[in-house]
Every structure is written in structure tokens, then in C-alpha cells.
Amino acid sequence: FKDAREFANKSIELDDSLAEAYVSLGLVKIFSQWDLEGAEKAFDRALELNSGDAGVHNAYSWYLAAAGKFDEAIETAKHALKLDPLSLAINNSLGDAYLNAGRYEEAIVQLDKTLELDPNFRSAIESKGWAQFFFGDTENAIKTFKKYHKKTKDPLKGISGLGYVYAKTGQHDKAYEIIDKLKQRQ
């Protein structure tokens, strides 16, 4: 994040008309600094510079979700999807926006649409597992998290969601097995 922040600021210094630089800066401010006010300013500038860019709207929807503005995040993600309906990332972001808003059935429907575009898109598989879990469908959540784990092709990756579901459903032995695997990653 330090490098991303430096490069985004350098890019803005060289040419302050690049929406992408402001998007990068906004994302750094959300994910590494939790500076929502600074992120909002960066995204406002990005939207001012390129209001027709699907990626700008997609990233802005992440800011809105982080700020707890879930309905706005969904509407912004829908707008991004209208601009680029075949983008896997944007399709997935709309599913995540529904998930963050607690609209789990809609999240599952959207994530299934994403997976129709690419059944191997790991982000959508993982998000679907969370949506299923929070919806109360723990049996399918476990199946989906196992599928996600298998797609990583690494015995130590893609297992935290599975461990969480095991723990929450009283399958403590399996949850501890996951914890042991996670410790191996250190």
C-alpha cells in the first residue's frame, strides 16, 4: 500500500487529470488507512474526471460500502455493471454490495450470474459461500467454500471461510484443523 500510495500521488503530481490515479489513491485510503473522508475526495475527483468509466464507479461502490452507504453502493455497482456488463470484477462487486447490505438472496443470484460468465472466478465463489452462510444455508456454504479452497490449488489457502463456518456450526474438530493449517502459513 505504501508503494501504491506513492505511485498514485506521483501520478497526480505529474498529471492531475487521470481518474485512475485518484481511484488508486482512494482505494489505498480505504484499505490501508481507513481514511474514508480522504477516499471520498479522491473518488469525487475521479468521477469528476471520468464519470463514464465503469471501473471508477465500481471502485466508488467499494468506498460507499466501506462508509456504510449500502443502498448507494448497490446503485453505484449497478451503474458500473450497465457500463460494462461482461466484467467479472464488476459483476462480483454487485454481488458483494448485496452481501454487505445483508441482502443475501440477491447476492447469491448476482454471484450465480457472475459464475455463469466464468464458473472458475474464485472471488465470486468465495463471496457466494459467505452469502450462503449468512443466509443460513450452511450446508451449501461448506460445499462452496470447499470448492473455493480447491480452486486455490494450495492446501493452506482459501480455507479461512471454511474454518469459520465449521466453528459457527459446532464442527470444532474441523475448525481446529483449519486453524492448524492457517498457522502453517506464518
Side-chain angles (χ1 to χ4, degrees), residues 2 5 22 29 39 43 52 54 63 81 87 94 114 119 128 146-147 154 171 173-175:
K2 180 180 177 269
R5 182 176 54 250
Y22 287 97
K29 288 183 178 292
F43 286 117
Y63 154 75
L81 191 59
S87 167
L94 178 55
T114 307
K128 183 177 176 182
K146 284 181 177 179
K147 180 179 180 180
D154 185 317
Q171 300 178 61
D173 290 345
K174 290 180 181 180

Side-chain angles (χ1 to χ4, degrees), residues 16-31:
D16 71 348
S17 68
L18 299 173
E20 295 85 354
Y22 287 97
V23 167
S24 295
L25 186 60
L27 293 173
V28 166
K29 288 183 178 292
I30 293 169
F31 294 118

Side-chain angles (χ1 to χ4, degrees), residues 5-186:
R5 182 176 54 250
E6 287 177 18
F7 287 124
N9 283 324
K10 183 65 173 175
S11 180
I12 291 167
E13 180 184 309
L14 293 171
D15 183 353
D16 71 348
S17 68
L18 299 173
E20 295 85 354
Y22 287 97
V23 167
S24 295
L25 186 60
L27 293 173
V28 166
K29 288 183 178 292
I30 293 169
F31 294 118
S32 90
Q33 299 171 303
W34 201 247
D35 175 6
L36 295 179
E37 185 178 319
E40 182 177 29
K41 289 178 184 174
F43 286 117
D44 285 347
R45 180 70 175 136
L47 287 164
E48 178 184 312
L49 291 168
N50 195 349
S51 63
D53 185 88
V56 172
H57 287 279
N58 187 46
Y60 183 55
S61 75
W62 300 344
Y63 154 75
L64 291 166
K69 300 175 182 179
F70 300 117
D71 290 336
E72 289 178 63
I74 290 167
E75 290 310 311
T76 301
K78 284 180 179 179
H79 181 68
L81 191 59
K82 284 180 187 171
L83 295 170
D84 190 353
L86 297 179
S87 167
L88 290 171
I90 293 172
N91 271 277
N92 192 72
S93 289
L94 178 55
D96 284 342
Y98 284 126
L99 177 60
N100 290 326
R103 294 165 59 174
Y104 307 123
E105 285 181 276
E106 291 166 284
I108 292 166
V109 168
Q110 180 57 41
L111 294 163
D112 281 340
K113 289 178 183 177
T114 307
L115 292 167
E116 284 175 21
L117 294 171
D118 182 351
N120 296 308
F121 193 60
R122 288 192 341 222
S123 294
I125 297 168
E126 181 182 28
S127 293
K128 183 177 176 182
W130 286 113
Q132 290 168 321
F133 171 74
F134 289 119
F135 184 63
D137 186 359
T138 56
E139 184 178 323
N140 278 320
I142 288 170
K143 288 178 186 174
T144 301
F145 279 126
K146 284 181 177 179
K147 180 179 180 180
Y148 173 70
H149 168 63
K150 187 176 179 180
K151 296 277 182 200
T152 68
K153 297 181 181 173
D154 185 317
L156 304 179
K157 291 186 178 177
I159 56 175
S160 56
L162 183 59
Y164 184 84
V165 174
Y166 282 149
K168 294 300 271 184
T169 57
Q171 300 178 61
H172 297 133
D173 290 345
K174 290 180 181 180
Y176 283 120
E177 287 176 21
I178 299 288
I179 290 171
D180 290 340
K181 288 181 181 181
L182 290 171
K183 286 179 181 178
Q184 293 176 39
R185 289 177 53 180
Q186 295 179 4

